[in-house]
Amino acid sequence: MSTPEALPPAVAIHLCLALAALLLGPVALAARKGSRVHRGTGYAWVTLMFGAALSSLFIRSFERPNIAGYTPIHLLVLLVFFGIGSALWQVAHGNVQRHRQLMWTVYIGGCLVAGAFTLLPSRYLGQLLWHHALGLI
């Protein structure tokens, strides 16, 4: 898998959803709370995050330490499902502060931390960045 054209469909879908969530998250988090922009981008971001988490379950690796092809990065799927579920439950019950904390946690863990792991030189996107694009490794 050395070129983007060789991406399996599950990886391509996951990559598109994850990149969209990475870019849309700050808009939802920065928008005035309760506004149409906040709610609209928030619903879209939640949909993208659920899609990215779900699609990641179809991406397995038997080359790294794993259980049935699922590697430690797949634990972030649990963060996304439980974090967003809890955040939605909190806001539905009037606990806006806890909702905000949980959404920030999911964005940081599910987008930024997971994104950082994908840029390691041993991973596909890391190889594209460090080897092909920058020619460093």
Side-chain angles (χ1 to χ4, degrees), residues 50-114:
F50 274 134
L54 185 61
S55 65
S56 75
L57 296 176
F58 295 94
I59 303 169
R60 300 181 354 179
S61 173
F62 296 95
E63 297 166 2
R64 295 176 177 81
N66 70 85
I67 297 173
Y70 296 109
T71 60
I73 199 169
H74 284 93
L75 292 173
L76 293 171
V77 171
L78 298 174
L79 169 78
V80 170
F81 287 153
F82 290 114
I84 289 177
S86 297
L88 295 176
W89 190 87
Q90 292 294 333
V91 78
H93 289 84
N95 193 345
V96 176
Q97 181 62 32
R98 185 68 180 134
H99 167 78
R100 181 180 298 124
Q101 292 170 345
L102 286 164
M103 286 303 200
W104 270 102
T105 299
V106 172
Y107 181 76
I108 291 168
C111 288
L112 300 182
V113 171

Short mmCIF file of all heavy atoms in Angstrom, two decimals, residues 50-114:
data_model
loop_
_atom_site.label_atom_id
_atom_site.label_comp_id
_atom_site.label_asym_id
_atom_site.label_seq_id
_atom_site.Cartn_x
_atom_site.Cartn_y
_atom_site.Cartn_z
N PHE A 50 -18.88 9.29 14.69
CA PHE A 50 -19.43 7.94 14.75
C PHE A 50 -19.06 7.15 13.51
O PHE A 50 -18.71 5.97 13.57
CB PHE A 50 -20.96 7.96 14.92
CG PHE A 50 -21.41 8.06 16.35
CD1 PHE A 50 -22.41 8.95 16.70
CD2 PHE A 50 -20.86 7.29 17.35
CE1 PHE A 50 -22.85 9.05 18.01
CE2 PHE A 50 -21.28 7.38 18.67
CZ PHE A 50 -22.28 8.27 18.99
N GLY A 51 -19.14 7.79 12.35
CA GLY A 51 -18.76 7.13 11.10
C GLY A 51 -17.30 6.74 11.08
O GLY A 51 -16.95 5.63 10.66
N ALA A 52 -16.44 7.64 11.54
CA ALA A 52 -15.00 7.34 11.58
C ALA A 52 -14.72 6.19 12.55
O ALA A 52 -13.93 5.28 12.25
CB ALA A 52 -14.21 8.58 11.97
N ALA A 53 -15.36 6.23 13.71
CA ALA A 53 -15.15 5.16 14.70
C ALA A 53 -15.66 3.83 14.17
O ALA A 53 -14.98 2.80 14.28
CB ALA A 53 -15.84 5.52 16.01
N LEU A 54 -16.84 3.84 13.57
CA LEU A 54 -17.41 2.60 13.04
C LEU A 54 -16.56 2.06 11.89
O LEU A 54 -16.27 0.86 11.83
CB LEU A 54 -18.84 2.85 12.57
CG LEU A 54 -19.62 1.63 12.10
CD1 LEU A 54 -19.77 0.62 13.23
CD2 LEU A 54 -20.98 2.05 11.59
N SER A 55 -16.13 2.93 10.99
CA SER A 55 -15.33 2.46 9.85
C SER A 55 -13.98 1.92 10.31
O SER A 55 -13.42 1.03 9.66
CB SER A 55 -15.14 3.58 8.84
OG SER A 55 -14.38 4.64 9.36
N SER A 56 -13.46 2.41 11.43
CA SER A 56 -12.17 1.91 11.92
C SER A 56 -12.25 0.45 12.35
O SER A 56 -11.23 -0.24 12.36
CB SER A 56 -11.65 2.77 13.07
OG SER A 56 -12.36 2.50 14.26
N LEU A 57 -13.44 -0.01 12.67
CA LEU A 57 -13.60 -1.42 13.06
C LEU A 57 -13.39 -2.36 11.89
O LEU A 57 -13.20 -3.56 12.09
CB LEU A 57 -14.98 -1.63 13.70
CG LEU A 57 -15.22 -0.87 15.00
CD1 LEU A 57 -16.64 -1.08 15.49
CD2 LEU A 57 -14.21 -1.27 16.05
N PHE A 58 -13.42 -1.83 10.66
CA PHE A 58 -13.18 -2.64 9.48
C PHE A 58 -11.72 -2.58 9.03
O PHE A 58 -11.36 -3.16 8.01
CB PHE A 58 -14.10 -2.20 8.34
CG PHE A 58 -15.55 -2.45 8.64
CD1 PHE A 58 -16.34 -1.45 9.20
CD2 PHE A 58 -16.12 -3.69 8.38
CE1 PHE A 58 -17.67 -1.68 9.49
CE2 PHE A 58 -17.45 -3.93 8.67
CZ PHE A 58 -18.23 -2.92 9.23
N ILE A 59 -10.91 -1.84 9.79
CA ILE A 59 -9.48 -1.72 9.49
C ILE A 59 -8.73 -2.50 10.57
O ILE A 59 -8.75 -2.11 11.73
CB ILE A 59 -9.03 -0.25 9.50
CG1 ILE A 59 -9.84 0.56 8.50
CG2 ILE A 59 -7.54 -0.15 9.20
CD1 ILE A 59 -9.65 2.05 8.62
N ARG A 60 -8.12 -3.59 10.17
CA ARG A 60 -7.42 -4.42 11.15
C ARG A 60 -6.00 -4.63 10.69
O ARG A 60 -5.69 -4.57 9.51
CB ARG A 60 -8.15 -5.74 11.33
CG ARG A 60 -9.57 -5.50 11.81
CD ARG A 60 -10.42 -6.69 12.05
NE ARG A 60 -9.88 -7.97 11.67
CZ ARG A 60 -10.51 -9.11 11.84
NH1 ARG A 60 -11.70 -9.13 12.37
NH2 ARG A 60 -9.97 -10.24 11.48
N SER A 61 -5.12 -4.86 11.66
CA SER A 61 -3.71 -5.08 11.36
C SER A 61 -3.21 -6.28 12.14
O SER A 61 -3.36 -6.35 13.36
CB SER A 61 -2.87 -3.85 11.73
OG SER A 61 -1.51 -4.12 11.59
N PHE A 62 -2.62 -7.21 11.43
CA PHE A 62 -2.06 -8.39 12.08
C PHE A 62 -0.55 -8.28 12.21
O PHE A 62 0.09 -9.19 12.69
CB PHE A 62 -2.48 -9.65 11.31
CG PHE A 62 -3.96 -9.88 11.33
CD1 PHE A 62 -4.76 -9.44 10.29
CD2 PHE A 62 -4.56 -10.49 12.41
CE1 PHE A 62 -6.13 -9.64 10.31
CE2 PHE A 62 -5.93 -10.69 12.45
CZ PHE A 62 -6.72 -10.26 11.40
N GLU A 63 0.01 -7.15 11.78
CA GLU A 63 1.46 -6.94 11.84
C GLU A 63 1.91 -6.40 13.19
O GLU A 63 3.02 -6.62 13.62
CB GLU A 63 1.89 -5.97 10.73
CG GLU A 63 1.60 -6.51 9.35
CD GLU A 63 1.70 -5.45 8.28
OE1 GLU A 63 2.04 -4.29 8.61
OE2 GLU A 63 1.45 -5.78 7.11
N ARG A 64 1.06 -5.66 13.86
CA ARG A 64 1.38 -5.07 15.16
C ARG A 64 0.75 -5.93 16.26
O ARG A 64 -0.09 -6.78 15.97
CB ARG A 64 0.81 -3.66 15.22
CG ARG A 64 1.47 -2.72 14.24
CD ARG A 64 0.81 -1.35 14.26
NE ARG A 64 1.49 -0.45 13.35
CZ ARG A 64 1.28 -0.43 12.04
NH1 ARG A 64 0.43 -1.25 11.49
NH2 ARG A 64 1.95 0.41 11.28
N PRO A 65 1.11 -5.70 17.51
CA PRO A 65 0.42 -6.42 18.59
C PRO A 65 -1.08 -6.20 18.47
O PRO A 65 -1.53 -5.05 18.32
CB PRO A 65 0.98 -5.78 19.86
CG PRO A 65 2.31 -5.22 19.45
CD PRO A 65 2.17 -4.82 18.02
N ASN A 66 -1.84 -7.29 18.50
CA ASN A 66 -3.27 -7.17 18.25
C ASN A 66 -4.05 -8.29 18.92
O ASN A 66 -3.49 -9.28 19.34
CB ASN A 66 -3.52 -7.18 16.74
CG ASN A 66 -3.27 -8.54 16.12
OD1 ASN A 66 -4.14 -9.40 16.12
ND2 ASN A 66 -2.06 -8.76 15.60
N ILE A 67 -5.35 -8.09 18.95
CA ILE A 67 -6.30 -9.13 19.35
C ILE A 67 -7.29 -9.21 18.19
O ILE A 67 -8.04 -8.26 17.95
CB ILE A 67 -7.02 -8.79 20.66
CG1 ILE A 67 -6.01 -8.71 21.80
CG2 ILE A 67 -8.12 -9.81 20.96
CD1 ILE A 67 -6.57 -8.22 23.12
N ALA A 68 -7.26 -10.29 17.46
CA ALA A 68 -8.11 -10.51 16.28
C ALA A 68 -7.96 -9.37 15.26
O ALA A 68 -8.92 -9.00 14.59
CB ALA A 68 -9.57 -10.68 16.70
N GLY A 69 -6.78 -8.80 15.18
CA GLY A 69 -6.52 -7.73 14.22
C GLY A 69 -6.75 -6.33 14.76
O GLY A 69 -6.46 -5.34 14.09
N TYR A 70 -7.30 -6.24 15.96
CA TYR A 70 -7.56 -4.93 16.57
C TYR A 70 -6.37 -4.54 17.43
O TYR A 70 -5.95 -5.29 18.31
CB TYR A 70 -8.85 -4.96 17.39
CG TYR A 70 -10.06 -5.21 16.53
CD1 TYR A 70 -10.74 -6.41 16.59
CD2 TYR A 70 -10.49 -4.25 15.63
CE1 TYR A 70 -11.84 -6.66 15.79
CE2 TYR A 70 -11.59 -4.49 14.81
CZ TYR A 70 -12.25 -5.69 14.91
OH TYR A 70 -13.34 -5.93 14.10
N THR A 71 -5.82 -3.37 17.15
CA THR A 71 -4.63 -2.88 17.84
C THR A 71 -5.04 -1.91 18.94
O THR A 71 -6.21 -1.51 19.03
CB THR A 71 -3.69 -2.19 16.83
OG1 THR A 71 -4.37 -1.08 16.24
CG2 THR A 71 -3.25 -3.17 15.74
N PRO A 72 -4.10 -1.49 19.77
CA PRO A 72 -4.44 -0.58 20.87
C PRO A 72 -5.12 0.72 20.43
O PRO A 72 -5.93 1.27 21.17
CB PRO A 72 -3.09 -0.30 21.53
CG PRO A 72 -2.31 -1.55 21.29
CD PRO A 72 -2.72 -2.00 19.92
N ILE A 73 -4.85 1.20 19.22
CA ILE A 73 -5.50 2.43 18.76
C ILE A 73 -7.02 2.26 18.64
O ILE A 73 -7.77 3.23 18.73
CB ILE A 73 -4.89 2.94 17.43
CG1 ILE A 73 -5.23 4.42 17.22
CG2 ILE A 73 -5.33 2.09 16.27
CD1 ILE A 73 -4.49 5.08 16.09
N HIS A 74 -7.47 1.02 18.48
CA HIS A 74 -8.90 0.77 18.40
C HIS A 74 -9.62 1.05 19.72
O HIS A 74 -10.85 1.17 19.73
CB HIS A 74 -9.17 -0.67 17.95
CG HIS A 74 -8.94 -0.88 16.48
ND1 HIS A 74 -7.74 -1.32 15.99
CD2 HIS A 74 -9.75 -0.69 15.41
CE1 HIS A 74 -7.83 -1.41 14.67
NE2 HIS A 74 -9.03 -1.03 14.30
N LEU A 75 -8.89 1.17 20.81
CA LEU A 75 -9.52 1.53 22.09
C LEU A 75 -10.15 2.92 22.02
O LEU A 75 -11.08 3.23 22.77
CB LEU A 75 -8.51 1.46 23.23
CG LEU A 75 -8.01 0.06 23.58
CD1 LEU A 75 -6.89 0.13 24.60
CD2 LEU A 75 -9.16 -0.81 24.07
N LEU A 76 -9.65 3.75 21.10
CA LEU A 76 -10.24 5.08 20.93
C LEU A 76 -11.67 5.02 20.40
O LEU A 76 -12.44 5.96 20.58
CB LEU A 76 -9.35 5.95 20.04
CG LEU A 76 -8.00 6.30 20.65
CD1 LEU A 76 -7.10 6.97 19.63
CD2 LEU A 76 -8.16 7.17 21.88
N VAL A 77 -12.05 3.90 19.79
CA VAL A 77 -13.43 3.72 19.36
C VAL A 77 -14.35 3.77 20.58
O VAL A 77 -15.42 4.40 20.55
CB VAL A 77 -13.61 2.39 18.59
CG1 VAL A 77 -15.07 2.09 18.33
CG2 VAL A 77 -12.82 2.42 17.30
N LEU A 78 -13.92 3.14 21.66
CA LEU A 78 -14.71 3.17 22.89
C LEU A 78 -14.82 4.58 23.43
O LEU A 78 -15.89 5.00 23.89
CB LEU A 78 -14.08 2.25 23.94
CG LEU A 78 -14.01 0.77 23.59
CD1 LEU A 78 -13.25 0.00 24.65
CD2 LEU A 78 -15.40 0.20 23.39
N LEU A 79 -13.73 5.35 23.37
CA LEU A 79 -13.76 6.75 23.80
C LEU A 79 -14.81 7.52 23.00
O LEU A 79 -15.60 8.27 23.58
CB LEU A 79 -12.39 7.40 23.62
CG LEU A 79 -12.38 8.93 23.78
CD1 LEU A 79 -12.42 9.30 25.25
CD2 LEU A 79 -11.19 9.54 23.09
N VAL A 80 -14.84 7.32 21.69
CA VAL A 80 -15.78 8.04 20.85
C VAL A 80 -17.22 7.64 21.17
O VAL A 80 -18.08 8.50 21.43
CB VAL A 80 -15.47 7.83 19.36
CG1 VAL A 80 -16.57 8.39 18.47
CG2 VAL A 80 -14.14 8.48 19.00
N PHE A 81 -17.51 6.35 21.17
CA PHE A 81 -18.88 5.90 21.41
C PHE A 81 -19.38 6.30 22.80
O PHE A 81 -20.46 6.88 22.93
CB PHE A 81 -19.00 4.39 21.23
CG PHE A 81 -18.95 3.93 19.80
CD1 PHE A 81 -18.50 2.67 19.49
CD2 PHE A 81 -19.34 4.75 18.75
CE1 PHE A 81 -18.45 2.23 18.17
CE2 PHE A 81 -19.30 4.32 17.44
CZ PHE A 81 -18.86 3.06 17.15
N PHE A 82 -18.60 6.01 23.82
CA PHE A 82 -19.05 6.32 25.18
C PHE A 82 -18.95 7.81 25.49
O PHE A 82 -19.81 8.36 26.18
CB PHE A 82 -18.27 5.49 26.21
CG PHE A 82 -18.63 4.04 26.18
CD1 PHE A 82 -17.70 3.09 25.80
CD2 PHE A 82 -19.91 3.60 26.51
CE1 PHE A 82 -18.03 1.74 25.75
CE2 PHE A 82 -20.25 2.26 26.46
CZ PHE A 82 -19.31 1.33 26.09
N GLY A 83 -17.94 8.47 24.97
CA GLY A 83 -17.78 9.90 25.22
C GLY A 83 -18.89 10.71 24.61
O GLY A 83 -19.50 11.57 25.28
N ILE A 84 -19.20 10.46 23.35
CA ILE A 84 -20.28 11.21 22.69
C ILE A 84 -21.63 10.83 23.28
O ILE A 84 -22.47 11.70 23.52
CB ILE A 84 -20.24 11.01 21.17
CG1 ILE A 84 -19.03 11.74 20.59
CG2 ILE A 84 -21.53 11.53 20.52
CD1 ILE A 84 -18.82 11.57 19.11
N GLY A 85 -21.83 9.54 23.52
CA GLY A 85 -23.09 9.12 24.15
C GLY A 85 -23.31 9.79 25.49
O GLY A 85 -24.39 10.30 25.78
N SER A 86 -22.26 9.83 26.30
CA SER A 86 -22.35 10.48 27.61
C SER A 86 -22.56 11.98 27.47
O SER A 86 -23.34 12.59 28.21
CB SER A 86 -21.08 10.23 28.42
OG SER A 86 -20.92 8.86 28.67
N ALA A 87 -21.88 12.60 26.50
CA ALA A 87 -22.02 14.04 26.30
C ALA A 87 -23.44 14.40 25.88
O ALA A 87 -23.99 15.41 26.35
CB ALA A 87 -21.02 14.52 25.24
N LEU A 88 -24.02 13.60 25.01
CA LEU A 88 -25.39 13.87 24.58
C LEU A 88 -26.37 13.66 25.73
O LEU A 88 -27.34 14.42 25.89
CB LEU A 88 -25.76 13.00 23.38
CG LEU A 88 -24.96 13.28 22.10
CD1 LEU A 88 -25.33 12.30 21.00
CD2 LEU A 88 -25.14 14.72 21.64
N TRP A 89 -26.13 12.65 26.55
CA TRP A 89 -26.98 12.41 27.71
C TRP A 89 -26.88 13.58 28.69
O TRP A 89 -27.89 14.04 29.23
CB TRP A 89 -26.57 11.09 28.39
CG TRP A 89 -27.55 10.66 29.44
CD1 TRP A 89 -28.67 9.92 29.25
CD2 TRP A 89 -27.48 10.95 30.83
NE1 TRP A 89 -29.31 9.73 30.45
CE2 TRP A 89 -28.59 10.35 31.45
CE3 TRP A 89 -26.59 11.66 31.64
CZ2 TRP A 89 -28.85 10.44 32.80
CZ3 TRP A 89 -26.84 11.74 32.99
CH2 TRP A 89 -27.95 11.15 33.56
N GLN A 90 -25.66 14.07 28.89
CA GLN A 90 -25.44 15.19 29.82
C GLN A 90 -26.18 16.45 29.36
O GLN A 90 -26.84 17.11 30.16
CB GLN A 90 -23.95 15.50 29.97
CG GLN A 90 -23.15 14.43 30.68
CD GLN A 90 -23.54 14.27 32.14
OE1 GLN A 90 -24.00 15.20 32.79
NE2 GLN A 90 -23.34 13.07 32.66
N VAL A 91 -26.07 16.80 28.09
CA VAL A 91 -26.73 18.02 27.62
C VAL A 91 -28.24 17.85 27.63
O VAL A 91 -28.97 18.81 27.90
CB VAL A 91 -26.19 18.47 26.24
CG1 VAL A 91 -26.78 17.67 25.10
CG2 VAL A 91 -26.42 19.97 26.04
N ALA A 92 -28.73 16.64 27.37
CA ALA A 92 -30.17 16.40 27.41
C ALA A 92 -30.72 16.56 28.83
O ALA A 92 -31.89 16.88 29.01
CB ALA A 92 -30.48 15.01 26.88
N HIS A 93 -29.85 16.36 29.81
CA HIS A 93 -30.26 16.50 31.21
C HIS A 93 -29.79 17.82 31.83
O HIS A 93 -29.76 17.96 33.05
CB HIS A 93 -29.77 15.29 32.02
CG HIS A 93 -30.52 14.04 31.69
ND1 HIS A 93 -30.18 13.24 30.62
CD2 HIS A 93 -31.61 13.49 32.24
CE1 HIS A 93 -31.03 12.23 30.55
NE2 HIS A 93 -31.91 12.36 31.52
N GLY A 94 -29.40 18.75 30.98
CA GLY A 94 -29.10 20.11 31.45
C GLY A 94 -27.70 20.35 31.98
O GLY A 94 -27.41 21.44 32.46
N ASN A 95 -26.83 19.36 31.91
CA ASN A 95 -25.47 19.54 32.42
C ASN A 95 -24.56 19.97 31.28
O ASN A 95 -23.80 19.18 30.72
CB ASN A 95 -24.97 18.25 33.07
CG ASN A 95 -23.71 18.47 33.87
OD1 ASN A 95 -23.04 19.50 33.74
ND2 ASN A 95 -23.37 17.49 34.69
N VAL A 96 -24.64 21.26 30.94
CA VAL A 96 -23.92 21.80 29.80
C VAL A 96 -22.41 21.78 30.02
O VAL A 96 -21.64 21.50 29.10
CB VAL A 96 -24.42 23.23 29.48
CG1 VAL A 96 -23.62 23.86 28.35
CG2 VAL A 96 -25.90 23.20 29.14
N GLN A 97 -21.97 22.06 31.24
CA GLN A 97 -20.54 22.07 31.53
C GLN A 97 -19.91 20.70 31.31
O GLN A 97 -18.86 20.58 30.70
CB GLN A 97 -20.28 22.55 32.96
CG GLN A 97 -18.82 22.61 33.35
CD GLN A 97 -18.02 23.60 32.50
OE1 GLN A 97 -18.54 24.60 32.04
NE2 GLN A 97 -16.76 23.29 32.26
N ARG A 98 -20.56 19.65 31.79
CA ARG A 98 -20.03 18.29 31.59
C ARG A 98 -20.08 17.91 30.11
O ARG A 98 -19.17 17.24 29.60
CB ARG A 98 -20.83 17.29 32.45
CG ARG A 98 -20.28 15.90 32.39
CD ARG A 98 -18.93 15.79 33.08
NE ARG A 98 -18.46 14.43 33.01
CZ ARG A 98 -17.22 14.08 32.68
NH1 ARG A 98 -16.32 15.00 32.45
NH2 ARG A 98 -16.89 12.83 32.61
N HIS A 99 -21.13 18.32 29.41
CA HIS A 99 -21.23 18.10 27.96
C HIS A 99 -20.02 18.71 27.26
O HIS A 99 -19.39 18.06 26.42
CB HIS A 99 -22.53 18.72 27.44
CG HIS A 99 -22.63 18.83 25.95
ND1 HIS A 99 -22.92 17.76 25.16
CD2 HIS A 99 -22.47 19.89 25.13
CE1 HIS A 99 -22.93 18.16 23.89
NE2 HIS A 99 -22.66 19.45 23.84
N ARG A 100 -19.70 19.93 27.60
CA ARG A 100 -18.56 20.63 27.00
C ARG A 100 -17.26 19.87 27.28
O ARG A 100 -16.45 19.65 26.37
CB ARG A 100 -18.47 22.06 27.54
CG ARG A 100 -17.33 22.86 26.95
CD ARG A 100 -17.27 24.28 27.51
NE ARG A 100 -18.49 25.01 27.18
CZ ARG A 100 -19.27 25.59 28.09
NH1 ARG A 100 -18.95 25.54 29.36
NH2 ARG A 100 -20.35 26.23 27.73
N GLN A 101 -17.06 19.45 28.51
CA GLN A 101 -15.84 18.72 28.87
C GLN A 101 -15.72 17.42 28.08
O GLN A 101 -14.64 17.08 27.58
CB GLN A 101 -15.83 18.40 30.37
CG GLN A 101 -15.68 19.60 31.26
CD GLN A 101 -15.94 19.24 32.73
OE1 GLN A 101 -16.48 18.19 33.05
NE2 GLN A 101 -15.55 20.15 33.62
N LEU A 102 -16.81 16.69 27.97
CA LEU A 102 -16.79 15.41 27.26
C LEU A 102 -16.53 15.61 25.77
O LEU A 102 -15.77 14.84 25.16
CB LEU A 102 -18.10 14.65 27.49
CG LEU A 102 -18.25 14.04 28.88
CD1 LEU A 102 -19.70 13.65 29.14
CD2 LEU A 102 -17.33 12.84 29.04
N MET A 103 -17.14 16.63 25.18
CA MET A 103 -16.92 16.87 23.75
C MET A 103 -15.47 17.26 23.48
O MET A 103 -14.88 16.82 22.48
CB MET A 103 -17.88 17.93 23.22
CG MET A 103 -19.29 17.42 23.06
SD MET A 103 -19.35 15.96 21.99
CE MET A 103 -21.06 15.97 21.53
N TRP A 104 -14.88 18.08 24.35
CA TRP A 104 -13.47 18.43 24.20
C TRP A 104 -12.60 17.18 24.34
O TRP A 104 -11.64 16.99 23.60
CB TRP A 104 -13.05 19.48 25.22
CG TRP A 104 -13.24 20.87 24.71
CD1 TRP A 104 -14.25 21.74 25.02
CD2 TRP A 104 -12.39 21.56 23.78
NE1 TRP A 104 -14.08 22.92 24.33
CE2 TRP A 104 -12.95 22.85 23.57
CE3 TRP A 104 -11.23 21.22 23.10
CZ2 TRP A 104 -12.37 23.77 22.72
CZ3 TRP A 104 -10.65 22.15 22.25
CH2 TRP A 104 -11.22 23.41 22.06
N THR A 105 -12.93 16.32 25.30
CA THR A 105 -12.18 15.08 25.51
C THR A 105 -12.23 14.20 24.26
O THR A 105 -11.21 13.65 23.83
CB THR A 105 -12.72 14.32 26.73
OG1 THR A 105 -12.57 15.14 27.89
CG2 THR A 105 -11.99 13.01 26.94
N VAL A 106 -13.42 14.06 23.69
CA VAL A 106 -13.56 13.23 22.49
C VAL A 106 -12.79 13.85 21.33
O VAL A 106 -12.12 13.13 20.58
CB VAL A 106 -15.05 13.03 22.12
CG1 VAL A 106 -15.19 12.34 20.77
CG2 VAL A 106 -15.75 12.22 23.20
N TYR A 107 -12.85 15.18 21.18
CA TYR A 107 -12.12 15.80 20.08
C TYR A 107 -10.62 15.60 20.25
O TYR A 107 -9.93 15.20 19.31
CB TYR A 107 -12.43 17.30 19.97
CG TYR A 107 -11.68 17.94 18.83
CD1 TYR A 107 -12.10 17.74 17.51
CD2 TYR A 107 -10.54 18.68 19.04
CE1 TYR A 107 -11.39 18.28 16.46
CE2 TYR A 107 -9.82 19.23 17.99
CZ TYR A 107 -10.26 19.02 16.69
OH TYR A 107 -9.55 19.55 15.64
N ILE A 108 -10.12 15.85 21.45
CA ILE A 108 -8.68 15.71 21.68
C ILE A 108 -8.24 14.26 21.52
O ILE A 108 -7.26 13.96 20.83
CB ILE A 108 -8.30 16.28 23.06
CG1 ILE A 108 -8.45 17.80 23.04
CG2 ILE A 108 -6.88 15.88 23.45
CD1 ILE A 108 -8.39 18.46 24.41
N GLY A 109 -8.97 13.33 22.14
CA GLY A 109 -8.58 11.92 22.06
C GLY A 109 -8.88 11.28 20.72
O GLY A 109 -8.04 10.58 20.15
N GLY A 110 -10.09 11.52 20.21
CA GLY A 110 -10.51 10.87 18.98
C GLY A 110 -9.96 11.47 17.71
O GLY A 110 -9.82 10.78 16.71
N CYS A 111 -9.64 12.76 17.75
CA CYS A 111 -9.10 13.42 16.54
C CYS A 111 -7.60 13.69 16.67
O CYS A 111 -6.82 13.25 15.82
CB CYS A 111 -9.83 14.73 16.27
SG CYS A 111 -11.52 14.53 15.68
N LEU A 112 -7.20 14.39 17.71
CA LEU A 112 -5.80 14.81 17.81
C LEU A 112 -4.86 13.66 18.20
O LEU A 112 -3.84 13.46 17.55
CB LEU A 112 -5.67 15.97 18.78
CG LEU A 112 -6.46 17.23 18.42
CD1 LEU A 112 -6.22 18.33 19.43
CD2 LEU A 112 -6.14 17.71 17.01
N VAL A 113 -5.20 12.92 19.24
CA VAL A 113 -4.34 11.81 19.67
C VAL A 113 -4.33 10.71 18.61
O VAL A 113 -3.26 10.23 18.22
CB VAL A 113 -4.76 11.27 21.05
CG1 VAL A 113 -4.01 10.01 21.40
CG2 VAL A 113 -4.54 12.33 22.12
N ALA A 114 -5.51 10.33 18.14
CA ALA A 114 -5.56 9.30 17.10
C ALA A 114 -4.83 9.77 15.85
O ALA A 114 -4.11 9.00 15.22
CB ALA A 114 -7.01 8.96 16.77
#
